[in-house]
Amino acid sequence: MSAATETLVDYDEALDTYDPVLGFEVHVELNTKTKMFSSAPNAFGDEPNTNVNEVDLGLPGVLPVVNKSGVEYAILIGLALNCQIAETCGFARKNYFYPDTPKNFQTSQYDDPIAFDGYLDIELEDGEVFRVEIERAHMEEDAGKLTHMGGAAGRIQGADFSLVDYNRAGVPLVEIVTKPIVGAGKRAPELAKAYVAAIREIVKNLGVSDARMERGNVRCDANVSLMAKDATEFGTRTETKNVNSLRAVDHAVRFEISRQAGVLNAGNKVVQETRHWHEDTRTTTSGRPKSDADDYRYFPEPDLVPIVTTEAWIEELRSRLPEPPAERRKRLQADWGYADAEFRDVVNAGLVDAIEETIAAGASAAVARKWWMGEISRLAKNADVEPTELGATPATIIELNSLIEGKKINDKIARQVLEYVIAGEGSPSEIVDKRGLAVVNDDSALGAAIDDAMAEMPGVVEKIKGGKLQAVGALIGPVMKATRGQADAGRVREIVLEKLGVEG
Amino acid sequence: MSAISREDVVHLARLAHIEMNDAELDKMTGELAVIVDSIAAVSEAAGDDVPATSHPIPLQNVLREDVVGKTLTPEQALQNAPDADENRFKVPAILDGE
């Protein structure tokens, strides 16, 4: 079916008629030092064909050897996804002919994945928790990188030839496959995005992947099908390949729901096929249908003997598991006493770690949040950098706060001092001294400024005398002006009341 | 009775990207059938108490520490390449999966 004949159905309307069923295959590139079956370096961004050896090139007579860390990282991922770990499992050859693998097969796992039958609880934005069942997580290797040359703008259609770099060939991958996900309804795109985000976060937290989606460390194939509300069987699904950003996962699922609803409403059948995601138009287009070319003739890899896991090995790995990100967030929110919305903002700003460090360094939770979410975020936004890259540290915040609490500077001056810290002028105390920013605590100097202000505003003075204490505020402005902002407002108020003999 | 039909060979040849004419297909059907039948004889000989195996030597967990070893230079890697450009293998443009 060509794009021209497709009618998209409004998303909400589609969901009134159909229930979406999702499924994900997420490939995670491990950050081992070497490849899965060879000792060539696993590194990103190097000159082409410099991180290859005879095994990666599939030269005759070579013998692959399994990377122990690759297996352990796969087990760690399995444990973090609440999976069973296979007592014994093996590798298989997935045969296909394409220049991205010089061996004409990909070493993978077939019917005995290292991890299976797990689940992951996904928390959506409003706190609703949705359980995604994990079918399996298996070990395999990445393919080389093809660059299509000639033709139109490097697209494969009309390309004259392709150039192949095998640096990525053999890089360890763990492919995580979900069971069909039903019941997400209108929240399907949101769940899809949250699921991939959770996988990314988990593998990053485990330290087994750099988890940078823009580098392809985490790649998602999204399966979508629709079933009529009263149906009992799943509809025909499509698999949209390489949806490689969180936003794209959301959009691709949303688009496929609208598109498939259009196909079904027109009385047609959804074609089981792979689809290509187009970031520019936020649409998918038909790839190729499932065919006998998908017959990969898997068979056991004769060069690799089985992996047998002992309970001791698994328990040793289990003891290495860090606190799961979702549980850590719950614990921190409770410890810090932030409201749900406050904490969500902190998470979305990527400042959980920074605030945790600041509190660990001695700041109160409120102070840490005030600075990171307030002035530091504001300055970072102006400078177009991440708040944590601005140059402010937990020590900066603690020092600024103690200067405020010691009445050495006020809040407004503190914000200025922060800017000077970021500009590299030194520590907050040094800056306060060097620039002479300390609050005027000298009561005689302050007293003179207050006398001047009271003389200029006799009406205000009468009001205060008459008991309208909030009128003091009118005097603070002129006093601040006279002291170049370095007066402590609280102290000004005290002195005024003292001078007028009014009880505060 | 052979488990390999001519259609199977046509399918396998297509999967393997091997072009075969009618005479070759006929010949290969017969030859593959002989091999498959021979292997089937082994299955008959093995009793129910013999589990299927893919690795005849009882080895397990042959693992390597994650330590970087030697690599080829791009010149070495490409020395047998039919064609190369910009230190990369140059191959005909092939549509994905075809």
Side-chain angles (χ1 to χ4, degrees):
Chain A
M1 175 164 300
S2 76
T5 63
E6 276 175 0
T7 316
L8 297 180
V9 172
D10 173 73
Y11 177 74
D12 289 320
E13 228 169 85
L15 270 297
D16 287 340
T17 318
Y18 304 101
D19 283 326
V21 180
L22 305 176
F24 300 99
E25 288 155 36
V26 174
H27 287 85
V28 176
E29 262 185 1
L30 305 182
N31 60 2
T32 50
K33 294 183 187 70
T34 65
K35 295 185 177 180
M36 192 65 204
F37 307 109
S38 96
S39 60
N42 169 15
F44 179 87
D46 288 345
E47 289 298 310
N49 293 308
T50 53
N51 296 333
V52 297
N53 67 19
E54 296 85 344
V55 174
D56 308 310
L57 295 179
L59 297 185
V62 296
L63 194 61
V65 187
V66 176
N67 183 340
K68 185 181 178 191
S69 293
V71 176
E72 295 195 328
Y73 287 9
I75 294 173
L76 285 169
I77 290 174
L79 293 173
L81 298 176
N82 306 294
C83 288
Q84 308 285 313
I85 304 301
E87 283 174 30
T88 192
C89 67
F91 292 97
R93 293 186 178 184
K94 178 182 180 180
N95 299 281
Y96 71 95
F97 293 82
Y98 193 62
D100 65 358
T101 172
K103 302 182 294 185
N104 292 339
F105 63 84
Q106 177 193 32
T107 308
S108 182
Q109 295 194 280
Y110 184 48
D111 52 9
D112 53 356
I114 189 146
F116 54 94
D117 281 352
Y119 65 86
L120 188 57
D121 285 331
I122 305 297
E123 192 174 336
L124 300 179
E125 275 237 350
D126 63 354
E128 189 188 332
V129 174
F130 204 100
R131 177 162 290 191
V132 172
E133 310 262 358
I134 306 294
E135 169 92 28
R136 58 187 278 164
H138 67 256
M139 300 179 281
E140 58 184 30
E141 58 179 340
D142 213 340
K145 187 172 186 296
L146 264 67
T147 309
H148 305 297
M149 309 296 284
R155 302 212 63 136
I156 188 161
Q157 286 82 5
D160 299 318
F161 59 92
S162 304
L163 296 178
V164 196
D165 169 14
Y166 288 118
N167 280 350
R168 200 180 59 190
V171 165
L173 292 178
V174 169
E175 179 177 343
I176 301 163
V177 183
T178 66
K179 291 183 179 159
I181 302 165
V182 294
K186 291 195 175 177
R187 311 196 72 174
E190 188 191 343
L191 175 64
K193 182 180 170 184
Y195 170 74
V196 178
I199 294 288
R200 185 184 65 168
E201 187 178 42
I202 283 171
V203 296
K204 190 170 186 215
N205 189 47
L206 287 171
V208 301
S209 172
D210 294 343
R212 294 176 64 165
M213 293 188 82
E214 74 279 10
R215 287 190 173 181
N217 296 147
V218 177
R219 312 196 289 259
C220 176
D221 300 338
N223 290 277
V224 177
S225 67
L226 295 183
M227 55 197 291
K229 290 267 182 198
D230 55 357
T232 51
E233 278 182 32
F234 294 162
T236 304
R237 70 189 157 87
T238 62
E239 180 179 11
T240 304
K241 292 276 191 188
N242 294 319
V243 196
N244 292 337
S245 75
L246 295 180
R247 204 181 44 229
V249 172
D250 180 320
H251 289 148
V253 167
R254 192 174 291 270
F255 178 83
E256 270 301 287
I257 289 172
S258 288
R259 186 190 69 83
Q260 291 185 17
V263 172
L264 295 170
N265 282 358
N268 294 319
K269 284 186 172 146
V270 172
V271 179
Q272 185 176 357
E273 61 185 357
T274 60
R275 296 191 65 89
H276 300 300
W277 168 247
H278 304 283
E279 188 67 47
D280 48 352
T281 53
R282 290 186 181 168
T283 56
T284 66
T285 55
S286 179
R288 60 180 177 80
K290 282 273 173 197
S291 72
D292 53 8
D294 293 309
D295 181 351
Y296 294 115
R297 299 272 146 169
Y298 280 94
F299 65 85
E301 162 60 282
D303 289 339
L304 296 169
V305 297
I307 305 289
V308 176
T309 59
T310 60
E311 211 177 307
W313 190 18
I314 292 171
E315 288 317 307
E316 192 273 316
L317 289 168
R318 196 190 300 277
S319 73
R320 283 197 229 164
L321 288 176
E323 183 181 22
E327 279 178 32
R328 172 170 173 253
R329 280 196 298 271
K330 273 204 191 79
R331 174 176 61 80
L332 292 177
Q333 188 187 349
D335 286 355
W336 299 347
Y338 292 178
D340 287 351
E342 288 172 346
F343 192 76
R344 193 155 58 233
D345 288 345
V346 168
V347 171
N348 292 339
L351 287 171
V352 174
D353 291 345
I355 288 178
E356 187 182 29
E357 284 164 27
T358 307
I359 293 169
S364 74
V367 164
R369 194 177 76 84
K370 177 183 102 173
W371 284 99
W372 282 111
M373 296 302 290
E375 196 60 10
I376 296 174
S377 288
R378 192 184 69 81
L379 293 173
K381 199 174 166 204
N382 290 346
D384 200 22
V385 297
E386 292 297 316
T388 47
E389 292 169 346
L390 202 59
T393 64
T396 313
I397 291 169
I398 285 164
E399 206 177 326
L400 282 172
N401 192 58
S402 71
L403 289 169
I404 295 169
E405 287 187 346
K407 309 256 173 183
K408 195 131 191 239
I409 54 175
N410 59 27
D411 232 55
K412 192 173 160 221
I413 298 282
R415 289 198 293 273
Q416 278 177 26
V417 172
L418 175 66
E419 290 195 45
Y420 298 136
V421 170
I422 287 160
E425 291 191 17
S427 75
S429 304
E430 287 165 7
I431 291 164
V432 167
D433 289 346
K434 225 183 307 178
R435 288 186 165 262
L437 295 173
V439 176
V440 178
N441 273 328
D442 173 357
D443 282 357
S444 66
L446 207 51
I450 290 168
D451 287 344
D452 289 348
M454 291 201 297
E456 273 171 36
M457 301 189 199
V460 171
V461 172
E462 285 311 311
K463 276 185 190 166
I464 299 168
K465 279 183 176 165
K468 290 193 80 177
L469 297 189
Q470 66 269 37
V472 175
L475 295 171
I476 290 173
V479 172
M480 282 291 179
K481 203 171 171 190
T483 57
R484 291 184 301 130
Q486 287 164 245
D488 176 47
R491 185 68 192 133
V492 172
R493 182 186 151 90
E494 280 171 23
I495 295 173
V496 169
L497 297 183
E498 216 171 276
K499 280 179 187 285
L500 296 178
V502 178
E503 288 288 315
Chain B
M1 176 60 201
S2 168
I4 294 282
S5 69
R6 196 170 187 280
E7 287 68 43
D8 289 332
V9 180
V10 170
H11 177 56
L12 290 172
R14 199 177 103 71
L15 287 177
H17 294 221
I18 297 171
E19 192 178 347
M20 297 177 81
N21 61 32
D22 280 351
E24 288 167 331
L25 286 171
D26 289 338
K27 182 162 177 273
M28 198 53 68
T29 303
E31 289 185 2
L32 281 176
V34 170
I35 294 169
V36 170
D37 289 347
S38 308
I39 302 296
V42 177
S43 314
E44 280 166 29
D48 291 342
D49 56 331
V50 180
T53 181
S54 52
H55 296 81
I57 304 166
L59 276 176
Q60 61 195 40
N61 291 356
V62 177
L63 302 172
R64 164 179 64 80
E65 292 301 321
D66 188 20
V67 177
V68 174
K70 68 176 182 58
T71 53
L72 299 172
T73 63
E75 293 72 32
Q76 288 172 323
L78 292 161
Q79 76 179 16
N80 294 326
D83 201 356
D85 196 8
E86 300 173 24
N87 275 345
R88 288 178 287 180
F89 293 81
K90 187 172 176 180
V91 299
I94 301 169
L95 279 173
D96 191 8
E98 286 300 307

